Amino acid sequence: MKVIVQLAERLKSLKISGLLKVLASNKEFTDLIIELNTRKQLFDEGIDSTGRLLSDIGGNYSPNTIEGTSQYKGKKAKGLPYDHITLFDTGQFYQSFEVFLRGTEFVISANTLKDTTDLVSEWGANILGLTEKSLSILREKAKDILIPYIRKKLLTR
């Protein structure tokens, strides 16, 4: 009976805030959040966190953006997608992404200023955030991290 009581006490000691901190300190987990937002949603699909096409929000790329000008190497020449909006040109925007824990929420932040344009003003605040599909992938990753952690906490004397 003593073992069951000890197990119950260990289970009771597990707090949501502690589990969230475990996830927040796991680089693989936070890197996945950024990859899902930047590479999967923005770059591959051209969508925001609601699943809305960025082209439906701010329009398509201009011919100069696609083909380039004498001062600017276009998307085609750079080998970048130009059939949908990616918000990727130099990579600086994607590289600025960070994830941090605020209370019980993971927050994605990034430097959305590009030249004289604020990407959030042009494309909406939902460029930072995950779709339901991405959240589903993230939940699976969280389980992969938390189940062994919880198991160890419960079974370690």
Side-chain angles (χ1 to χ4, degrees), residues 35-71:
E35 179 185 344
L36 289 168
N37 196 163
T38 57
R39 286 290 168 183
K40 301 298 181 195
Q41 292 172 197
L42 295 174
F43 194 83
D44 291 347
E45 298 183 54
I47 59 173
D48 69 9
S49 65
T50 68
R52 190 170 173 201
L53 286 170
L54 296 177
S55 57
D56 290 348
I57 300 166
N60 291 308
Y61 286 128
S62 71
N64 284 345
T65 301
I66 295 170
E67 299 297 334
T69 64
S70 58
Q71 293 90 20

Side-chain angles (χ1 to χ4, degrees), residues 38-39 42-44 54 61 65 72 74-75 78-82 84-95 114 119 123:
T38 57
R39 286 290 168 183
L42 295 174
F43 194 83
D44 291 347
L54 296 177
Y61 286 128
T65 301
Y72 172 77
K75 294 256 181 205
K78 290 180 181 180
L80 296 172
Y82 54 88
H84 62 274
I85 302 297
T86 63
L87 302 182
F88 185 96
D89 187 37
T90 64
Q92 286 183 322
F93 174 53
Y94 286 20
Q95 290 169 3
K114 182 181 178 190
L119 298 175
W123 307 101

Side-chain angles (χ1 to χ4, degrees), residues 3-155:
V3 172
I4 294 173
V5 171
Q6 289 174 336
L7 185 61
E9 286 173 358
R10 283 189 219 120
L11 182 60
K12 191 176 169 182
S13 74
L14 291 173
K15 304 278 187 232
I16 295 294
S17 60
L19 297 175
L20 291 173
K21 286 178 184 174
V22 167
L23 293 174
S25 66
N26 186 297
K27 184 163 173 36
E28 212 175 310
F29 184 78
T30 56
D31 285 351
L32 179 60
I33 293 171
I34 293 169
E35 179 185 344
L36 289 168
N37 196 163
T38 57
R39 286 290 168 183
K40 301 298 181 195
Q41 292 172 197
L42 295 174
F43 194 83
D44 291 347
E45 298 183 54
I47 59 173
D48 69 9
S49 65
T50 68
R52 190 170 173 201
L53 286 170
L54 296 177
S55 57
D56 290 348
I57 300 166
N60 291 308
Y61 286 128
S62 71
N64 284 345
T65 301
I66 295 170
E67 299 297 334
T69 64
S70 58
Q71 293 90 20
Y72 172 77
K73 191 173 175 182
K75 294 256 181 205
K76 274 186 179 179
K78 290 180 181 180
L80 296 172
Y82 54 88
D83 61 336
H84 62 274
I85 302 297
T86 63
L87 302 182
F88 185 96
D89 187 37
T90 64
Q92 286 183 322
F93 174 53
Y94 286 20
Q95 290 169 3
S96 75
F97 274 61
E98 295 178 326
V99 175
F100 60 93
L101 185 60
R102 182 188 303 148
T104 59
E105 289 186 22
F106 285 93
V107 177
I108 300 169
S109 69
N111 179 1
T112 61
L113 297 177
K114 182 181 178 190
D115 301 324
T116 60
T117 303
D118 183 356
L119 298 175
V120 167
S121 296
E122 192 161 334
W123 307 101
N126 291 326
I127 60 173
L128 302 176
L130 300 180
T131 63
E132 281 304 316
K133 179 181 174 185
S134 291
L135 287 170
S136 179
I137 294 167
L138 193 62
R139 285 183 200 103
E140 289 302 313
K141 183 64 174 175
K143 281 196 270 184
D144 292 345
I145 295 167
L146 291 178
I147 289 173
Y149 173 82
I150 292 168
R151 190 174 284 138
K152 182 178 177 185
K153 283 288 189 186
L154 294 178
L155 300 177

